[in-house]
Amino acid sequence: MSKIMTILEERVAPAVNKIGGQRHLRAVRNGIISMLPLTIVGSFFVIFLNVPIPGYDELIAPIKASLDIPFRYTVGIMSIYVSFGIAHQLAKSYNLDELTSGFLAVAGFLISSVVPTQVSKGVDGVIAAGRWMPIAKLSASSLFGAILAAIISVEIYRFFKEKDIVIKMPDGVPPAVSNSFAALFPAIAIILLFWVIRHLLGFDISEALSTLLAPLKGILAGNSLLGGLLTVFLILFFWVLGIHGPAILGPIIRPIWDATIAENMDAFTAGASAHALPNIFTEQFLQWFLWIGGSGMTLPLVFLFLISKSRFLKDLGKLSLLPGIFNINEPVIFGAPIVMNPILAIPFIIVPIICTIISYILTRVGMIPMMMAKLPFTVPAPIGALISTNWSVMACILVFVNFFIGLVIYYPFFKMYEKQLLEQEAAAKTTEEA
């Protein structure tokens, strides 16, 4: 382990630190971290809505819609908060007005992402006639668009400021008023740019990504190891970029997932053994064997955070543990963060790839049954694997084996990131004492 740590510190760390220190990546990382309180609170409400106990849904039925509200206005529209946070951080690095930059980014993002829906005739108790803005486009599925909108908006604002294309107010005018008028021309440019791209040209970044991936459907649809690995890699790769992987791949892979688990359930009901079902790569295969704690198998990382010397990581581990047990890992992905963070992104991708290969081989040789049930994603992984494989103890054991593999692979990268944060915390403490 010491040799691995030495190699990582001498060869890997300098490269990833250089990448991670890039101005725009740093702004993305810090901007996403800034909404951590909202992410954590919203994640807990997801747990309240999906407790895997028989009869629980009926119990909360009268208040289910109300319980959903905190999630919808935190994680459900997180891209708005992220666009503001990233723009704020990037503007700060350029010594621009942070508040103005944040507002410009949010305006650009909303215009580029949401197409208002006209309801000509209302339905009593459902929706009134009028013009509505669907909030689904403001969730993590539009995170990449929020990142782009924030960066482009601030760069346009900076260009106008550096070229002195601004309205200047007389001396003595309050800074808040002066900054507002100085942002008038940049605001016009930003709004026109995103309006033309989205509403005149009809370009949608999320749909464009799904279209680009459409040719891969034949490969992803297969029951081969290559198809499974490619699916896992793409989901994780998009998460690292700040894109909701399942949301982008959903139009392509979701129908396949639904069909494969349906085929398995039909075959099992017809009397087939759980070891002889048609499909290995169902969504449940990923859910219980790979997404332990959420995409990227982050629960082992949360356990490492709990023993960290870094106060930030230790506190984050405590806050992320309960959501992680129920496979909700937004607090880790956006809190650590893993998004745009090369140090944690490497194991985030490697761990599930290795566990995919191991789990596939064990299933192929007949040690592990295939999935024959579809359970809520919030069921803890060992229980989910046990039930979904017709009560296979070996499947449950595999979850713990994969967890241990994740722990081992995450550890050196965790230590490298911990060292970086400890240095930052020490420097901050010295500054406070000075």
Side-chain angles (χ1 to χ4, degrees), residues 69-129:
I69 290 173
F71 168 77
R72 293 296 165 193
Y73 288 99
T74 52
V75 179
I77 58 170
M78 70 179 301
S79 290
I80 290 182
Y81 305 123
V82 166
S83 64
F84 185 92
I86 292 171
H88 184 282
Q89 293 293 330
L90 186 56
K92 187 177 180 181
S93 73
Y94 283 133
N95 291 319
L96 298 172
D97 183 64
E98 294 103 333
L99 195 59
T100 299
S101 298
F103 287 146
L104 292 176
V106 170
F109 166 65
L110 288 173
I111 292 171
S112 67
S113 299
V114 181
V115 177
T117 300
Q118 182 68 45
V119 177
S120 55
K121 187 177 181 180
V123 178
D124 290 341
V126 179
I127 191 170

Side-chain angles (χ1 to χ4, degrees), residues 211-227:
T211 303
L212 287 172
L213 292 169
L216 295 173
K217 185 172 182 177
I219 300 173
L220 299 176
N223 201 17
S224 68
L225 179 59
L226 175 61

Side-chain angles (χ1 to χ4, degrees), residues 10 16 18 21 67 90-91 131 162 170 203 208 213 223 238 243 263 288 326 342 347 366 397 413 428:
E10 292 180 356
V16 296
K18 187 175 182 180
L67 278 176
L90 186 56
R131 201 162 169 81
E162 288 184 350
F203 181 79
L213 292 169
N223 201 17
F238 283 130
I243 307 170
E263 288 174 6
W288 309 131
F326 293 97
I397 292 173
F413 295 93

Side-chain angles (χ1 to χ4, degrees), residues 182-200:
L184 185 58
F185 289 153
I188 293 172
I190 290 165
I191 290 172
L192 284 177
L193 173 67
F194 289 113
W195 173 67
V196 169
I197 291 174
R198 182 67 184 92
H199 300 272
L200 294 188

Side-chain angles (χ1 to χ4, degrees), residues 254-306:
R254 174 64 55 191
I256 300 167
W257 276 342
D258 290 343
T260 53
I261 189 61
E263 288 174 6
N264 280 11
M265 292 168 72
D266 288 344
F268 184 78
T269 304
S273 165
H275 289 274
L277 300 179
N279 304 294
I280 294 177
F281 284 112
T282 62
E283 183 180 12
Q284 290 66 39
F285 180 92
L286 275 64
Q287 182 65 62
W288 309 131
F289 294 150
L290 310 181
W291 300 161
I292 302 171
S295 297
M297 199 184 293
T298 51
L299 193 58
L301 185 62
V302 170
F303 272 74
L304 292 173
F305 284 174
L306 290 172

Side-chain angles (χ1 to χ4, degrees), residues 261 274-275 277 282-292 325 327 359 363 367-403:
I261 189 61
H275 289 274
L277 300 179
T282 62
E283 183 180 12
Q284 290 66 39
F285 180 92
L286 275 64
Q287 182 65 62
W288 309 131
F289 294 150
L290 310 181
W291 300 161
I292 302 171
I325 291 173
N327 306 311
S359 303
T363 304
M367 290 184 66
I368 305 296
M370 298 178 201
M371 299 293 164
M372 41 61 67
K374 188 174 182 180
L375 301 177
F377 77 97
T378 49
V379 175
I383 299 172
L386 182 71
I387 298 173
S388 297
T389 55
N390 194 28
W391 302 95
S392 169
V393 176
M394 288 301 296
C396 183
I397 292 173
L398 178 60
V399 173
F400 289 100
V401 170
N402 286 347
F403 177 88

